[in-house]
Amino acid sequence: MADEIDQRCLLSHPALTHHNLSMDCNFVIPLGCSTCGGKYTMREQDNILICCTTCGVEFHNGCDERPRKITHPYHLQHPLTLFYRDLETGTISNIIPDANPCKPHINDQEPDTSDQGKYKFVDIVPTKSDIIFDKCTWCGKDFEGVWFYRCLICSFCLDLPCAKSLPPLTITNPKGHHHSLIFLPRPLLVPCDACGLVNGPEPSYACFQCSYMAHQSCIDLPRVIKITRHPHRLHYIPYRSPLSSLCRHIQDVQHMTLFGIKKELEWEPEESGDDEEDIAPFKNLGDGFIKHFGHDHSLKLKKHNGVVDIEKLCEACVYPIVYDQFYDCEECDYSLHEVCASLPKKLDHALNNHTLFLDPSPQNEYSYMTCHVCSRVTTGFRYIRHNYPTQGGPYSFIDVRCVLVPEYFTHKSHDDHLVFISTITSNKDCTRCKNTCSGSHLECPECEFALCYACATIPHELHYKYDKHPLILCYGEKGSAGSDIYWCEVCEKLLDTTEWFYTCNQCCTTVHLQCVFGSSYFMKPGSTFRLPHYRKSAEVIRNSSNSRQLCYTCGNLCTASIYYEGYDRFYKGLLFTYKNRDVSRVPICSLHCLTVKKW
């Protein structure tokens, strides 16, 4: 007895009632496979054949996905015939080879081989033609694999992925429109009235009474949704606004549809807003004092005295506190920029589909110190999903510097257009570092400009310990290659003026970005953390001495603004030999040297 499966028979006409296929177990296909004519199932031990009781046909398991002749919604005027393409010779034929030219089971009777090598289904193929059949007429892509469908009357061709798409000819009572919609048998090469995008290969529908055209995936979009990059619910409008040709929220809905996020909130009560106490990061104590939830002592609001002290760092973003109002602890070394102190305890953000919570606690595990957006290691504040990693899954966090990037703005290196946050994998390369933007990044929808988050969050202005003026980020001097020669103030090597670099025009100072940041710029001195290696730990040390330590791992001088002291967190004795002396702690120049297993 054949069991019906949830798969439509491709032989059924699109305009008629569809019927499903059935699956049976039998090594022999009595009527022969309707696609290739073979008499036996693919493998003896499977004994699976697919049949359609309505059409009276049987298939090998797999051949049912490519019947010899179909009528498809994309080309209703003529039937389409299955063709086989020889990849070596380039010739095409509608003589389909047997999918299983094997011998019968030993217990079966000997088959009749009088017609062996002959095929029951043979159509006439034109022998002379100036048409090259190598692209799908519907999607325009080159054929992949050996199978495709072709119309014997005209030059229409269809690849298998497009042939498997079977849109209904009519959609009655669609959610996004007040009339029934008719299938368009041509790719929609104009912007969709719902999402504003042009996506030709996607099936589309039209209401000719309203001059309304939309993609199939846009017809039943949820009427009310909630996205993380906006604090309120969004209500669906079935027509694009004439005020702007680019609606970012509509595009985000399109992306959410692709990811299967289609939760309808129209009839669900809206959650009450969070109390200010649940979001506010501090309590105002009066007289300029606050009590921040991330620190045990009260903090006092102070105005900077104008003296540049790059050693005073913000606990949240780990940038120096210069020229700004800031909160300072009078009992210990703890300071926060005013804007960093105001970071909410809880927020929704475009970089994550879940509500994020601010974690100000010192992170003492190196494995949990890398931002999953910009890939930088930091000891600063971070936003995490609630109770991660205790709820299971990989631990990940977003650095506060990445969270502070606006959803859209004009970047100083690209003042022609706005750039937007994109969480979709892109094939664009970062304009600065040339790496592919494979994760969250910023991109311009008008051109090929893109920035990864590590480059997008490089500060435009920065204070340098050997210059009394702030350094300004130069985004490359176009057309100056070879005309001006600059040398890096730190490494004393030649500087490429077409790349980004820091400069002080008043002092004629130029510095490589790598020489300013290194790998450890966002590691606050005094922090300690455990390494992935068994028993090993490290402390971040400010490199303020006139003499430079030799790195225990690579033997080079520790020239950066900070270095590390590695030690065994269980054994306090003289475990290491450094400069012919037995010591308990050894200097290490960088994160790279710190994380190798050599020491």
Side-chain angles (χ1 to χ4, degrees), residues 8-23:
R8 172 183 163 184
C9 176
L10 299 182
L11 294 177
S12 58
H13 195 281
L16 303 178
T17 303
H18 302 154
H19 46 272
N20 290 343
L21 296 172
S22 300
M23 183 173 62

Side-chain angles (χ1 to χ4, degrees), residues 70-87:
I70 61 173
T71 301
H72 199 277
Y74 292 167
H75 194 67
L76 285 172
Q77 58 268 45
H78 305 136
L80 301 178
T81 302
L82 181 67
F83 274 77
Y84 177 82
R85 186 166 61 108
D86 192 314
L87 298 179

